[in-house]
Amino acid sequence: MKIQVTCFATLARYSPQGGVLEVNPGATPQDVLDLLAIPGNEVKIVFVNGQNSGRDVLLQENDRVGIFPAIGGG
Amino acid sequence: MARLLRINTRTKKVTEDTLAGDYAGLGGRGLTSRIVRKEVPPTCHPLSAANKLIVAPGLLTGTTAANTGRLSVGGKSPLTGTIKESNAGGTFSQKLARLDIMGLVLEDKPDPDAAFQVIFISKNGVQLTEVPEISGLGTYDASTKLFEKFGSKVGIMVIGPAGENSRLASSIQFTDPKGNPSRAAGRGGLGALMGSKKIKAIVIDSQDAKAPEVADKEAFKAAAKRWAEILVSHPVTGQGLPSYGTSILINIINEAGTLPTKNFRDGRFDKAADISGEKMVELINQRKGVAKEGCHAGCVIQCSQKYCDENGQYLTSGFEYETVWAFGSNLLISNMDHIAHLDRLCDDLGLDTIETGTTVAMAMEAGVIPWGDGLAAIDLLKRIYDPKDYLGAIIGNGTAFTAEAFGVDRVPVVKKQSLPAYDPRAAKGVGVTYATTPMGADHTAGYAICQNILKVGGDIDPLGKQGNVEVSKNLQIATAAVDATGFCLFVAFAVLDTDDALDTIAKLISSRFGISFTADDIGKTGIEILKDEYSFNRDAGFTKAHDQLPDFFIQEELPPHKVKWDFTVDELQKAKVEI
Ligand code: SF4
């Protein structure tokens, strides 16, 4: 199945081509990190459909995944 | 001994006290709010002689501890009618501290036709002079001329045409280490208060002044070393903020569905990537700007920058997330250069960027200019230079005033101060802060975005109610204390995640003054400040009915999460420290 994945800030270089990634049904955000070879300790926040998510939830077709390092500002 | 200088702006008399009695041991927001509480009649007109403008460095300002050079500016707000503390960077605060001036109070007011004055403060004393050639000038030209006159080493606090004409959205600008007046005490219209006292600028020269000594040098040095380590080793203050500036937030706040778009109609902006921190850094690097700068010496976080235009010419600095939002997604403008020009215009006119961005949204609601038209927004702001331009006069008076002038009913304000860059429906912790802080809508007063979105200092669901009142209350207390120290608020990212951070801060304060100050005292300091502020507001006529968000947040669902604002009046009161 296809999901949308964007990596931000220092992780931007790991974003998949065109922002779309093909994963197996039953894949989790952790599988996405592994597939894209993103070092887990550089990741602070994973959003699935705009909500903070664990790395072990089941992804659905067309889910929107955002991957961020530690970020602050304001 | 810590000095408190009072300048009567009508008689030009200067008096000097030491900080004693009710004011002993206070700094920053602790001192400004206490003086307002004790000396300003809560029901006075904010532009009347009875109001006072107070400037105070923090308790640790002027020391070698990192990120301690911030300044508190206080008074009764012309915009909100509440008590106000507005916090600014720039070089001014450390120079005051070097002269051992813990507070500067502007009192009374001259006749309406009196000429504007410039106050010059050095180790030799205080002088008031007329510098007629800077009257009516923008802050950039005015500060250039003041540096020529007083020397390049001075620090400058200056208002622009907006403040001179007492516009309610006006800021007070401060020069940064490069001499650009790009750091602002933006919120609450304090520029209008300074303008009402007919003070165009305060210039401070601390050369050859002997900085006050730290009481216990060894202990201070050790604590300052640990303090710098805490800041540098945290991923946000050590890497995230220095690399991308505060606009690094655009993408994550957009992903979280809480980036207010088209005057709070949507939580996502389809062109967010064009105005992101990543994009800003790309443009800065292409144009040979500087991606990372401090707003004062001793800042190790360095979230500021030098942003150049298409031709590589300096355009602006201190170009922050809130500004990019206010003129960007809020107005559907996606051209970073247009947004940077609007930031520059605000700094030069002496206007709060947040308030002015939401004000332009009111003009767009009313059809005065089209949505998304950056060039039209630039032309609109330029009209504020002309004191006789009626449209400029309306726009310069902020969001609530402009909405009234044009009959707009979608007005994102609390106590007449505009909401900043997070939609309260999908970031409920900061929504509680907007509603209940004594300042009018303000994110910095209790930045629950940390726990709601950034997962710093905890993890609280931004879409539900649970935990959001408590977190806002605790943050409001902690923030008031931070604002008393002179620390930049961004130290909070590291403090919230580091076990010995509060102890380290307490050690800095203890060894600076030779007193025993503990981590518990930090919270007590914050509570005392909030009590002064809430009681002032109560006596000024504010009730729990004023601690609310506008109706449309309750009635309309925010996409994409389809959430509404759903706190009751009484639930919100629990976020306030009891007076
Ligand atoms: S982090 Fe930014 S706002 Fe804070 S002191 Fe440094 S430059 Fe100024």
Side-chain angles (χ1 to χ4, degrees), chain A residues 6-30:
Chain A
T6 316
C7 308
F8 293 95
T10 47
L11 303 175
R13 64 182 185 280
Y14 295 106
S15 283
Q17 276 284 322
V20 176
L21 191 67
E22 182 75 44
V23 294
N24 294 325
T28 64
Q30 185 59 50

Side-chain angles (χ1 to χ4, degrees), chain A residues 70-74, chain B residues 236 240-241 245-249 447 454 493:
Chain A
I71 278 177
Chain B
V236 171
L241 276 169
T246 59
S247 286
I248 194 174
L249 287 174
Y447 191 66
L454 305 173
F493 294 108

Side-chain angles (χ1 to χ4, degrees), chain B residues 193-211:
Chain B
L193 174 51
M194 185 159 154
S196 73
K197 308 228 176 276
K198 297 278 179 182
I199 301 299
K200 171 73 176 174
I202 305 179
V203 178
I204 184 151
D205 183 350
S206 63
Q207 283 184 90
D208 307 322
K210 215 169 145 294

Side-chain angles (χ1 to χ4, degrees), chain A residues 9 44 50 52 64 72-74, chain B residues 248-249 255 278 443 455 493 561:
Chain A
K44 165 95 178 177
N52 187 44
R64 172 171 172 151
Chain B
I248 194 174
L249 287 174
E255 274 306 300
E278 289 90 328
H443 61 297
K455 307 306 163 202
F493 294 108
H561 294 306

Side-chain angles (χ1 to χ4, degrees), chain B residues 405-459:
Chain B
F406 293 125
V408 174
D409 71 349
R410 188 185 184 82
V411 196
V413 298
V414 176
K415 303 181 184 78
K416 295 199 173 163
Q417 179 165 284
S418 75
L419 267 61
Y422 316 87
D423 195 299
R425 288 164 290 188
K428 290 207 160 66
V430 84
V432 173
T433 300
Y434 293 166
T436 57
T437 159
M439 301 293 154
D442 181 351
H443 61 297
T444 63
Y447 191 66
I449 295 301
C450 281
Q451 291 79 0
N452 278 170
I453 314 282
L454 305 173
K455 307 306 163 202
V456 172
D459 181 357

Side-chain angles (χ1 to χ4, degrees), chain B residues 340-369:
Chain B
H341 273 283
L342 289 160
D343 181 46
R344 166 66 182 250
L345 276 170
C346 282
D347 289 349
D348 196 49
L349 283 156
L351 284 172
D352 178 24
T353 56
I354 298 174
E355 191 65 45
T356 305
T358 53
T359 302
V360 176
M362 298 303 102
M364 289 179 170
E365 291 284 355
V368 177
I369 60 170

